[in-house]
Amino acid sequence: MKISRLISASIIVFCIASCREKAIEIDSLEKELFLREDAEGIYKDGKALFLFNQDRHQKALNSMRHQYRIQTDEQDTCLNVMVEALPETAGTYITTSIDFRSPGELISNMSHLECSRVSQDKVWLWNPGSLTGLILDTSML
């Protein structure tokens, strides 16, 4: 009886430990600044490049393609993001296609991003190599 309780307790402890989110390493000031932000959009070098403003921008979401897009009404600035899947926990990595176009700025790449933070309706995705972060509203994806 004692052995079966010990085995059961060990299994429960193992399950609890494996379900916990991974610790996120804050390895740069830019990442620390990014993780303090809450507005949807794209960030570079710890500063906002393009943030969603409901009064001035359009937002489109495609749940089938895991696609997120915001653009100005004039369409001169656009952020288009496609993710392979939506991360459910911080510490996971996902492949992401980013296309950001703005006068004087172009970011277009395929990246392996860390999900650095998750809330009820948003994810924070980070690329340490380019010091680029994305905050996406996942409520409709």
Side-chain angles (χ1 to χ4, degrees), residues 94-107:
I94 61 169
T95 301
T96 307
S97 171
I98 302 168
D99 187 31
F100 172 68
R101 298 172 188 274
S102 177
E105 187 77 43
L106 172 65
I107 298 173

Side-chain angles (χ1 to χ4, degrees), residues 64-125:
M64 299 293 285
R65 295 177 63 194
H66 299 292
Q67 183 176 15
Y68 173 93
R69 180 182 177 95
I70 56 176
Q71 66 188 29
T72 60
D73 290 336
E74 299 81 22
Q75 298 182 2
D76 64 339
T77 302
C78 176
L79 171 64
N80 188 57
V81 179
M82 292 182 67
V83 296
E84 67 178 343
L86 288 177
E88 295 179 11
T89 60
T92 57
Y93 288 82
I94 61 169
T95 301
T96 307
S97 171
I98 302 168
D99 187 31
F100 172 68
R101 298 172 188 274
S102 177
E105 187 77 43
L106 172 65
I107 298 173
S108 186
N109 62 37
M110 184 77 98
S111 300
H112 201 62
L113 302 182
E114 173 194 72
C115 178
S116 300
R117 183 175 159 199
V118 177
S119 74
Q120 188 173 8
D121 59 350
K122 291 181 185 170
V123 294
W124 284 251
L125 304 175

Side-chain angles (χ1 to χ4, degrees), residues 22-73:
K22 296 178 184 177
I24 301 303
E25 181 181 355
I26 307 297
D27 54 359
S28 67
L29 176 61
E30 292 85 357
K31 183 176 184 179
E32 183 178 344
L33 293 171
F34 166 69
L35 290 174
R36 292 179 188 172
E37 297 291 342
D38 198 47
E40 296 174 67
I42 186 167
Y43 297 78
K44 177 96 170 125
D45 299 323
K47 299 177 184 127
L49 279 181
F50 183 53
L51 302 180
F52 177 66
N53 178 323
Q54 188 170 351
D55 296 330
R56 297 181 19 222
H57 302 138
Q58 301 170 24
K59 180 167 52 169
L61 306 167
N62 184 324
S63 60
M64 299 293 285
R65 295 177 63 194
H66 299 292
Q67 183 176 15
Y68 173 93
R69 180 182 177 95
I70 56 176
Q71 66 188 29
T72 60
D73 290 336

